[in-house]
């Protein structure tokens, strides 16, 4: 039975090999510090952190994620270490929460790798703190115990490490935050809020023993057996997002604060021993849109975890094969005629059996997910749908802002044809960067530079068109900066339809004017919000959400323009000003590290398939597929024409 600890309470640890699981509503940094008998950390080499993830007996994650798994072997901890302290900190950066009071309370549990939890602790009561000592494992009279600590630090990770007695704590904190920054820039958002009823698993009720995919990606021998694409446990609820400029409420205007109703009853099984027939909207939510959104995120998580279980099982089988082959080679008895060959054949047979069982379980889960995708895709509303969906033929300008927007598709190499819609919440919490460089993408290498840049602008136009299409008339304004006029052909659908705020800005003067206008808007709205004087805004201020498309950066930008662009990227999303950059990072290499914060603040997407994004659960590398308008289709022009007509009607 799990002991649910409160602050200050301790509990004995009957096992020495442990796993410490951390679940938080937003990505957090996890570290573990070893301290001496006096509770002091002698040096930085005694701290396991993302830049130095492994110490004797302790291993932590290399990334800042919403879920962590820390491995601890108390027998391997140095004898001079009397305490293992688990530290959590919020990562730094634009669009990141700055205090634990604005995110869900972290949940920490301790247990053996192959058994039930021994103790758990929910770290409550935090407010302005951005770092916390969650719990500690300590020696007492020759035995180990766990204690719930919950000590928070408003001064962040540096203050937390200083309190552990560490010299030069600020330098180590900077190293840690720098180590996780690249991973944060490629990690997709955290899951949507879900209650205990979410991801209802009728398959488990219909077929006993099918318990859903393992949430543990560790190398257990049976990690891929008995899996299924639906878990029934509760997910951590997500609070409103926050930037470093203060709390921003991104709650959907139609969202109610009470728990949503459970999902509709699942369809009956297709036959004895078979999973139920998938149903679109099989998730919690107050509306069909919210249920579909939660269902897509559930499919995303299911695919991530069932693939993690499969890969873990294969890794275990490979490791076991290597060990058995090594033992066979080192055993003198293997030199007897035929004995060594028999041992090796038996080892390979066991390896094939393990990998075969893992693949069989994976194929079963993927087949169920594929069947679910087939019924969910046609039911998606315009904001979530592909450009080739029939839903666009009956498109009408909406009256309300949707919950989320589709930016493309995601898939894994185990089943490339199984694609999950990539949905991001609205309003956008980060700007977008369409990378027009070659990078490491195999698809980009086969294209010439001019073609790749054209595809990048085409992709940006498609994203802008969707953003315009899913917002009510007059509530989304698009500006374009094209200093050299090189994207005129790709921008033609936006220009012809009349949905832009004005002609694309070309030349230094026009670029300066657009940037100054948007920078001033950010300043005015920030001052009004901070001063509690929203009514004092100028009457001619456009209160709609603003999108600035920037092509061919940094060509045509002087130092002042670059500074203004960085300011918009950092401060804009909190007050409704968003960037959509089309750029090759190599073109801006002359600026050196000055622009690194800009690139990290934007969500990088590509005009061609590229495996640069990661999920928030197990950090798989997912291949991103950009949205594409069907060849010969005029769906973009038809949708933009209706948007323009609605805008003209509103102005009359």
């Amino acid at each position: 039975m799990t002991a649910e600890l409160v602050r200050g309470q301790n509990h004995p640890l009957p096992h020495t090999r442990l796993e410490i699981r951390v679940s938080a509503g937003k990505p957090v940094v996890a570290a573990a510090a070893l301290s001496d008998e006096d509770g002091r950390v002698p040096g930085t080499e005694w701290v396991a952190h993302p830049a130095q993830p492994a110490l004797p007996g302790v291993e932590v994650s290399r990334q800042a994620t919403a879920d962590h798994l820390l491995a601890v072997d108390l027998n391997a901890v140095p004898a001079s270490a009397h305490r293992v302290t688990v530290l959590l900190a919020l990562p730094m950066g634009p669009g990141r929460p700055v205090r634990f009071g604005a995110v869900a309370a972290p949940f920490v549990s301790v247990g053996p790798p192959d058994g039930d939890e021994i103790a758990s602790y929910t770290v409550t009561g935090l407010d302005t703190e951005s770092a916390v000592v969650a719990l500690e494992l300590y020696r007492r009279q020759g035995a180990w115990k766990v204690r719930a600590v919950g000590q928070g630090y408003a001064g962040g990770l540096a203050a937390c490490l200083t309190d552990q007695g560490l010299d030069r704590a600020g330098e180590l904190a900077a190293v840690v935050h720098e180590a996780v920054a690249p991973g944060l820039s490629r990690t997709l958002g955290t899951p949507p809020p879900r209650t205990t009823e979410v991801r209802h698993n009728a398959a488990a009720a219909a077929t006993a023993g099918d318990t859903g995919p393992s949430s543990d990606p560790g190398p257990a021998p049976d990690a891929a057996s008995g899996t299924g694409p639906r878990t029934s446990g509760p997910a951590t609820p997500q609070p409103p997002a926050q930037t470093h400029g203060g709390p921003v409420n991104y709650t959907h205007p139609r969202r109610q604060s009470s728990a949503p109703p459970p999902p509709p009853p699942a369809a009956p099984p297709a036959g004895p021993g078979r999973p139920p027939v998938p149903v679109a909207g099989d998730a919690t939510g107050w509306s069909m849109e919210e249920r579909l959104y939660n269902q897509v995120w559930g499919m995303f998580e299911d695919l991530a975890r069932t693939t993690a279980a499969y890969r873990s099982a294969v890794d275990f089988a490979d490791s076991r094969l290597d060990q058995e082959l090594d033992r066979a080679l080192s055993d003198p008895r293997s030199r007897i005629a035929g004995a060594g060959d028999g041992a090796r054949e038996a080892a390979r047979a066991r390896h094939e059996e393990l990998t075969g069982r893992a693949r069989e379980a994976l194929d079963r889960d993927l087949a169920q997910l594929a069947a679910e995708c087939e019924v969910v895709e046609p039911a998606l509303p315009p904001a979530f749908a592909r450009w080739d969906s029939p839903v666009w033929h009956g498109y009408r300008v909406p009256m309300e802002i949707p919950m989320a927007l589709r930016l493309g598709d995601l898939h894994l190499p185990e089943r490339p044809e199984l694609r999950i819609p990539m949905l991001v919440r609205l309003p956008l919490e980060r700007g977008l960067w369409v990378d027009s460089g070659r990078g490491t993408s195999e698809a980009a290498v086969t294209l010439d530079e001019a073609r790749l840049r054209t595809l990048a602008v085409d992709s940006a136009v498609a994203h802008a068109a969707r953003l315009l299409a899913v917002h009510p008339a007059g509530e989304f304004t698009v500006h374009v900066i094209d200093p050299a006029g090189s994207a005129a052909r790709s921008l033609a659908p936006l220009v012809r339809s009349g949905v832009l705020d004005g002609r694309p800005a070309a030349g230094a003067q026009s670029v300066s004017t657009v940037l100054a206008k948007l920078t001033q808007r950010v300043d005015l709205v920030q001052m009004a919000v901070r001063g509690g004087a929203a009514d004092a805004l100028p009457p001619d201020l456009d209160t709609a959400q603003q999108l600035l498309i920037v092509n061919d950066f940094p060509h045509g930008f002087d130092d002042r323009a670059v500074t203004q662009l960085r300011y918009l990227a950092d401060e804009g999303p909190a007050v409704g000003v968003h960037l959509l950059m089309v750029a090759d990072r190599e073109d801006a290499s002359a600026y050196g590290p000055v622009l690194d914060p800009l690139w990290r603040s934007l969500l990088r997407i590509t005009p061609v398939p590229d495996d640069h994004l990661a999920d928030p659960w197990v950090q798989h590398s997912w291949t991103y597929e950009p949205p594409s308008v069907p060849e010969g289709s005029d769906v973009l022009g038809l949708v933009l024409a209706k948007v323009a007509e609605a805008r003209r009607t509103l102005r009359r």
Side-chain angles (χ1 to χ4, degrees):
M1 182 175 178
T2 303
E4 298 181 1
L5 305 181
V6 297
R7 185 172 181 176
Q9 186 178 1
N10 61 51
H11 192 274
L13 292 172
H15 304 274
T16 56
R17 291 192 61 208
L18 301 168
E19 288 182 345
I20 300 175
R21 296 180 180 275
V22 178
S23 297
K26 291 284 184 179
V28 296
V29 179
L34 304 181
S35 52
D36 57 23
E37 194 170 6
D38 298 326
R40 183 177 179 276
V41 179
T44 57
E45 69 276 5
W46 285 53
V47 182
H49 53 80
Q52 176 185 279
L55 293 180
V58 180
E59 186 171 357
V60 302
S61 172
R62 296 176 180 271
Q63 302 289 344
T65 67
D67 297 290
H68 287 270
L69 178 65
L70 285 66
V72 178
D73 184 353
L74 296 175
N75 287 334
V77 172
S80 55
H82 289 257
R83 188 174 303 171
V84 180
T85 305
V86 177
L87 316 175
L88 304 178
L90 292 171
M92 300 172 63
R96 300 291 169 189
V98 296
R99 60 189 183 95
F100 272 110
V103 303
F107 174 81
V108 189
S109 65
V110 181
D114 54 353
D116 296 332
E117 295 175 355
I118 299 171
S120 65
Y121 173 45
T122 302
V123 190
T124 58
L126 300 177
D127 186 13
T128 60
E129 298 88 346
S130 58
V132 63
V133 175
L135 52 78
E136 62 182 11
L137 315 180
Y138 64 98
R139 299 182 196 260
R140 180 61 54 86
Q141 297 178 348
W144 285 90
K145 292 186 176 183
V146 57
R147 176 187 291 123
V149 181
Q151 176 63 53
Y153 298 85
L157 185 58
C160 181
L161 293 170
T162 299
D163 199 41
Q164 300 297 312
L166 183 66
D167 295 331
R168 303 172 70 179
E171 295 180 13
L172 179 58
V175 169
V176 172
H177 287 301
E178 184 178 354
V180 300
L184 286 170
S185 65
R186 64 188 288 268
T187 302
L188 299 180
T190 49
R194 293 185 288 167
T195 62
T196 55
E197 293 88 1
V198 92
R199 310 313 300 155
H200 177 67
N201 190 356
T207 57
D210 191 356
T211 59
S214 168
S215 61
D216 176 13
D222 58 348
S225 62
T227 61
R230 200 59 85 240
T231 59
S232 57
T236 306
Q238 307 297 306
Q242 176 177 318
T243 68
H244 61 290
V248 181
N249 186 1
Y250 285 112
T251 304
H252 193 268
R254 287 175 291 158
R255 185 78 41 73
Q256 301 186 37
S257 58
S258 57
R274 295 185 180 182
V277 177
V279 177
D282 184 17
T284 57
W286 290 105
S287 65
M288 187 62 174
E289 178 194 47
E290 187 171 2
R291 292 200 297 271
L292 286 168
Y293 172 75
N294 285 336
Q295 186 173 14
V296 168
W297 264 93
M299 292 159 55
F300 184 23
E301 179 177 2
D302 289 345
L303 183 53
R305 293 198 184 279
T306 196
T307 303
Y310 167 72
R311 293 179 180 178
S312 176
V314 171
D315 288 344
F316 172 82
D318 292 343
S319 175
R320 178 173 172 174
L321 175 63
D322 291 341
Q323 293 174 6
E324 292 181 348
L325 292 177
D326 287 343
R327 283 198 297 267
L329 289 172
S330 60
D331 189 351
R333 291 172 296 180
S334 65
R335 298 168 187 169
I336 302 174
D341 293 340
R344 286 190 289 272
E345 289 178 4
R348 293 190 180 96
R350 283 190 290 270
H351 176 268
E352 291 180 3
E353 180 186 2
L354 286 174
T355 55
R357 284 166 46 196
R359 187 70 211 194
E360 181 181 354
L362 176 68
D363 289 342
R364 183 185 66 241
D365 292 349
L366 295 184
Q368 189 171 342
L369 280 170
E372 188 171 10
C373 283
E374 289 180 1
V375 299
V376 169
E377 189 69 52
L380 296 178
F384 302 173
R386 294 194 303 249
W387 282 114
D388 61 355
S389 172
V391 73
W392 290 107
H393 297 307
Y395 166 76
R396 293 182 180 180
V397 177
M399 300 298 292
E400 294 180 329
I401 301 174
M403 292 183 59
L405 182 85
R406 186 173 189 158
L407 287 182
D409 294 331
L410 300 167
H411 64 81
L412 292 172
E414 281 77 6
R415 183 71 68 85
E417 67 274 15
L418 178 55
R419 302 188 176 186
I420 305 296
M422 177 181 166
L423 303 181
V424 297
R425 291 295 295 267
L426 291 178
L428 295 172
E429 298 181 36
R430 302 166 64 183
L432 303 176
W433 164 31
V434 182
D435 190 354
S436 60
R438 294 187 184 280
T440 58
S441 170
E442 294 181 4
V445 171
T446 62
L447 299 173
D448 62 67
E449 183 177 331
R451 178 58 179 162
L452 194 57
R453 291 180 184 274
T454 299
L455 288 176
V457 182
D458 290 344
S459 181
V461 169
H463 290 306
R466 185 182 290 266
L467 282 163
L468 282 163
V470 302
H471 281 79
E475 293 193 20
F476 198 81
T477 302
V478 178
H479 313 262
V480 176
I481 289 179
D482 185 20
S486 59
R489 184 172 181 179
S490 296
L491 294 170
L494 296 176
V495 176
R496 282 198 307 262
S497 61
V499 295
L500 296 180
D501 184 63
R503 301 287 300 180
Q509 183 59 42
S510 297
V511 170
S512 177
T513 300
V514 172
L515 290 174
K517 177 182 177 180
L518 292 176
T519 301
Q520 182 185 41
R521 183 190 185 281
V522 171
D523 290 339
L524 289 173
V525 176
Q526 280 188 339
M527 287 189 292
V529 171
R530 291 170 182 169
D535 296 339
L537 288 169
D540 59 343
L541 183 77
D542 184 2
T543 58
Q545 295 279 314
Q546 309 287 311
L547 178 71
L548 174 61
I549 302 175
V550 178
N551 179 49
D552 213 15
F553 177 81
H555 302 300
F557 285 77
D558 55 22
D559 290 345
R560 176 179 173 81
V562 170
T563 301
Q564 288 176 317
L565 204 62
R566 286 186 55 189
Y567 177 72
L568 293 177
D570 291 342
E571 305 291 340
V575 290
V577 177
H578 313 283
L579 287 184
L580 176 50
M581 299 266 293
V582 180
D584 179 359
R585 189 169 182 172
E586 290 299 320
D587 292 343
S589 58
Y591 287 92
V594 173
L595 290 181
D596 286 351
L598 171 65
W599 305 119
R600 286 198 296 265
S601 69
L602 303 173
L603 175 61
R604 176 177 174 255
I605 52 181
T606 52
V608 293
D610 190 27
D611 56 350
H612 65 283
L613 294 174
D615 63 79
W617 300 284
V618 291
Q619 293 285 298
H620 287 318
S621 290
W622 293 73
T623 297
Y624 167 76
E625 291 274 353
S628 58
V629 178
E631 189 73 25
S633 172
D634 193 30
V635 62
L636 214 62
L638 295 175
V639 169
L640 290 175
K642 291 186 178 181
V643 171
E645 177 60 29
R647 288 162 61 94
R648 288 191 293 268
T649 301
L650 186 67
R651 293 170 181 167
R652 291 172 186 166

